[in-house]
Amino acid sequence: MRSPRRCSRNGCPRQAVATLTYVYNESTAVVGPLAAFAEPHTYDLCEPHARSLTAPRGWDVVRHEGEFEPPPPTTDDLVALAEAVREAARPAPPRPDEIEHDPHSGPQTGRRGHLRVIPPSH
């Protein structure tokens, strides 16, 4: 399943709700709602970092004035979640060392979960 986008600031674990874009030829930093897709020359920010961003001296900051809302889940997210639940509910196939052996085929050692079967010694 795809995880939600996180804030680009080092060490920040919060979910991104805004996108920072630099317009270099106008010396402007633009902080707006979270872009639909992560772009290579933009930065995703959480709300505290989006609200407190400062630009270099001589630059302007254009900031979105409304609320920064986290994006709603997309259908891709919902499909991925359904597939993850389906996969978790599917029983795991038995490992070769967990398969029960025929007791008449001779002494064998086997495992079943955390238990080990040890044949009697004759």
Side-chain angles (χ1 to χ4, degrees):
M1 186 171 81
R2 190 175 59 170
S3 61
R5 286 162 48 191
R6 299 282 176 206
C7 183
S8 297
R9 297 289 300 261
N10 277 344
C12 183
R14 291 185 284 262
Q15 182 178 4
V17 296
T19 297
L20 166 64
T21 306
Y22 290 108
V23 182
Y24 291 99
N25 61 348
E26 295 179 17
S27 299
T28 303
V30 180
V31 180
L34 188 64
F37 300 100
E39 297 290 332
H41 300 291
T42 62
Y43 302 91
D44 294 337
L45 300 174
C46 63
E47 186 162 4
H49 285 125
R51 297 268 179 227
S52 65
L53 177 91
T54 59
R57 185 175 295 137
W59 282 55
D60 294 319
V61 176
V62 176
R63 194 181 322 263
H64 173 71
E65 290 299 323
E67 292 295 316
F68 289 114
E69 297 290 329
T74 65
T75 56
D76 291 344
D77 294 336
L78 297 176
V79 169
L81 178 60
E83 288 174 0
V85 169
R86 216 175 285 122
E87 182 67 28
R90 186 175 300 141
R95 296 189 325 232
D97 61 342
E98 292 177 336
I99 297 174
E100 293 184 28
H101 298 285
D102 182 9
H104 302 294
S105 67
Q108 296 179 1
T109 302
R111 284 186 68 94
R112 184 152 179 96
H114 65 283
L115 303 175
R116 181 180 298 254
V117 177
I118 301 175
S121 59
H122 293 341

